[in-house]
Amino acid sequence: MIFQTDITADLFIQASIETLYMVGWSLLIGTLIGGPLGILLVVTRKGGVLENKLLYNILNPIINIIRSLPFIILLIAIIPFTRFVVQTTIGTEAAIVPLIIYIAPYIARLVENSILEVNPGILEAAEAMGATPFQVIWYFLLPEAFGSLILSITTAAIGLLGATAMAGTVGGGGIGSLALTYGYQRFDTFVMVITVIVLIIIVQVIQSLGTYLARRVRRR
């Protein structure tokens, strides 16, 4: 029967909390790393306010290399590093390490694209007023790109949600681990159905919130 299941409400709630915990911390730390990297990619590129070909040519390929790795491969490849950082390779804390490494370069690219969308005329106006590179970034580029940056972080959060599900395949915990252990290995159809529904709801909430905040920012 589809409604027969060995899972309890407490177990499912705990798995949901673990998923949100992984997404929250990974997104926060990933943004703190990826955000500045994205800004550096913009300002150090050819024609940027802090043009630096050497730095750009170092950062750009490194970000491309990490982004080219599927998360499940990255997850397994950095197991020694994960063990070194958190002293374990199982659980939500262990899953956060590869999640950060996975999402930081992704956010860097999203931030780069958002800032590059800023009207070049704004930069010309800033330079005409004698603004320093820091002032150009802080008072002109970031405020103008803020709405797009919110949508970029929203996209990153949804991508992280999918990655946490894959983290469950190696004991990362969360809804993904629950779906694998109960839904797949024990053929519990009910768990699979509920997992899909919950993930859809979370994605809809994240996307709706991000769209709402971006719309509010752009109307100011």
Side-chain angles (χ1 to χ4, degrees), residues 80-96:
F81 177 72
T82 300
R83 185 182 291 111
F84 172 77
V85 173
V86 294
Q87 308 304 312
T88 183
T89 58
I90 300 175
T92 54
E93 285 77 14
I96 288 174

Side-chain angles (χ1 to χ4, degrees), residues 49-182:
V49 294
L50 289 173
E51 182 177 338
N52 187 319
K53 292 183 179 179
L54 176 62
L55 182 58
Y56 180 82
N57 288 331
I58 291 174
L59 288 178
N60 192 51
I62 290 176
I63 290 174
N64 286 338
I65 290 171
I66 298 176
R67 285 192 63 209
S68 68
L69 296 176
F71 177 68
I72 191 66
I73 295 177
L74 176 66
L75 183 68
I76 297 171
I78 67 166
I79 282 178
F81 177 72
T82 300
R83 185 182 291 111
F84 172 77
V85 173
V86 294
Q87 308 304 312
T88 183
T89 58
I90 300 175
T92 54
E93 285 77 14
I96 288 174
V97 176
L99 284 170
I100 292 172
I101 296 176
Y102 165 76
I103 204 62
Y106 184 54
I107 291 176
R109 283 301 182 199
L110 292 174
V111 169
E112 178 190 23
N113 291 336
S114 295
I115 295 177
L116 288 175
E117 292 176 358
V118 175
N119 190 331
I122 294 176
L123 294 180
E124 294 174 2
E127 293 173 355
M129 289 187 288
T132 64
F134 174 79
Q135 290 173 330
V136 170
I137 296 168
W138 190 256
Y139 295 108
F140 294 89
L141 286 178
L142 293 181
E144 287 296 321
F146 196 43
S148 180
L149 288 172
I150 291 176
L151 292 177
S152 295
I153 299 302
T154 301
T155 300
I158 294 173
L160 266 176
L161 187 63
T164 61
M166 285 186 280
T169 61
V170 292
I175 295 177
S177 179
L178 202 67
L180 178 68
T181 303
Y182 288 86

Side-chain angles (χ1 to χ4, degrees), residues 13-77:
I13 291 172
Q14 179 61 34
S16 300
I17 292 173
E18 289 175 352
T19 293
L20 295 176
Y21 177 82
M22 288 188 286
V23 170
W25 279 108
S26 301
L27 185 65
L28 174 62
I29 301 175
T31 301
L32 292 177
I33 298 173
L37 285 177
I39 295 172
L40 278 175
L41 286 173
V42 174
V43 300
T44 60
R45 68 193 302 119
K46 185 177 181 180
V49 294
L50 289 173
E51 182 177 338
N52 187 319
K53 292 183 179 179
L54 176 62
L55 182 58
Y56 180 82
N57 288 331
I58 291 174
L59 288 178
N60 192 51
I62 290 176
I63 290 174
N64 286 338
I65 290 171
I66 298 176
R67 285 192 63 209
S68 68
L69 296 176
F71 177 68
I72 191 66
I73 295 177
L74 176 66
L75 183 68
I76 297 171

